[in-house]
Amino acid sequence: MAQDTMKQGSLAELLVSRALQSCATAGNVLVMSVTVGASILTDIPRRRFPWREFVRQAWFMVSVSVIPTILVAVPFGVIISVQVSSVAQQVGASSFMGAANGLGVIQQGAPIVTALLLAGAVGSAITSDLGARKIREEIDALETMGLSPIRRLVAPRMVAIVLVAIVLCGIVVFTGVVTGYFFNVLAQGGTPGSYVSSFAAFAQPSDLILAEFKSVLFGAIVGVVAAQKGLTAQGGPGGVAHAVNAAVVLAVVILFGVNVIITQISNVLFPSRIV
């Protein structure tokens, strides 16, 4: 009985500790978001923004994410085409394949693929870089010299990841739609005219704008979470590895939650219509 009571007490303490840590992490991420945003908005007009670091980070992010994005977008477009075709043939709506595939890729596929690639490839790189600088005491050295790590290191990475998110979303949209078209025409016996006409009837510029808006928001979330975890890493190389894992997991969870909220709001405010 005493052991059961002790286990229940330790479990309750663990749950309370986890809840407090979650609240602290959320507060730190929010504070960093405001700080980074303020730094970007004030440094660019004053010509104090580190453009050289921004270009270097943007090129690095593109180099590690473009090829994986294309490789993920191709099978993603095929999967959507296969699933939609199976349902469309059962209900006799094969003529709407183009609309279903295209809207599926643009509205959901492109932002999700972009978010996962940003969190897995780019976010982990940001966390590991900043975490390594933290345990080598480079961050402390910058602060000792009166230099802000947020302005010198985090702000250029934030601008770079947002711009890269826009590019990756466009790549996923193009690759997914083209892949779905060729797979439907060549492998599923669809007609090119029916595919294109149904896609043109339902797709709207607002769909692409919404996808890009999601990607920008997802990029900002990944950048803030990755930077926060990197700057708070401690405990040597093991601590950096733990920070990278925590950053990826936390970013993915937040991204999926934000995607659900944005999708629900957009469906209510901007329902799909035939044009």
Side-chain angles (χ1 to χ4, degrees), residues 198-271:
S198 64
F199 175 74
F202 281 89
Q204 303 177 24
S206 59
D207 297 324
L208 181 59
I209 294 174
L210 178 61
E212 293 288 3
F213 171 75
K214 284 183 178 182
S215 299
V216 169
L217 185 59
F218 293 165
I221 291 174
V222 170
V224 170
V225 172
Q228 193 274 330
K229 289 297 182 181
L231 292 179
T232 56
Q234 55 185 354
V240 176
H242 177 72
V244 171
N245 180 68
V248 174
V249 173
L250 180 60
V252 170
V253 172
I254 295 176
L255 292 174
F256 275 97
V258 172
N259 181 64
V260 171
I261 296 174
I262 295 177
T263 301
Q264 292 298 325
I265 294 176
S266 64
N267 288 337
V268 174
L269 298 179
F270 309 103

Side-chain angles (χ1 to χ4, degrees), residues 36-51:
V36 173
S39 298
I40 294 173
L41 294 177
T42 56
D43 288 350
I44 292 179
R46 297 177 181 177
R47 298 182 180 180
R48 299 173 55 186
F49 187 78
W51 290 107

Side-chain angles (χ1 to χ4, degrees), residues 38-75:
S39 298
I40 294 173
L41 294 177
T42 56
D43 288 350
I44 292 179
R46 297 177 181 177
R47 298 182 180 180
R48 299 173 55 186
F49 187 78
W51 290 107
R52 180 174 298 180
E53 178 70 10
F54 157 74
V55 172
R56 191 175 70 85
Q57 291 299 322
W59 174 250
F60 169 76
M61 294 175 186
V62 170
S63 64
V64 300
S65 60
V66 168
I67 300 301
T69 299
I70 296 175
L71 295 178
V72 172
V74 170

Side-chain angles (χ1 to χ4, degrees), residues 79-97 100-101 188:
I79 291 173
I80 292 180
S81 181
V82 170
Q83 295 296 326
V84 171
S85 175
S86 176
V87 176
Q89 290 177 359
Q90 295 179 22
V91 299
S94 300
S95 59
F96 292 96
M97 281 289 299
N101 285 346
Q188 297 177 318

Side-chain angles (χ1 to χ4, degrees), residues 115-129:
L116 294 178
L117 266 298
L118 287 176
V122 179
S124 59
I126 293 176
T127 304
S128 61
D129 180 29

Side-chain angles (χ1 to χ4, degrees), residues 128-141 233 236-237 240:
S128 61
D129 180 29
L130 296 180
R133 293 172 184 266
K134 177 66 176 179
I135 65 172
R136 292 198 302 264
E137 299 183 351
E138 293 182 18
I139 305 299
D140 297 333
V240 176

Side-chain angles (χ1 to χ4, degrees), residues 90-115:
Q90 295 179 22
V91 299
S94 300
S95 59
F96 292 96
M97 281 289 299
N101 285 346
L103 293 179
V105 171
I106 295 174
Q107 292 182 350
Q108 297 300 326
I112 291 298
V113 171
T114 301

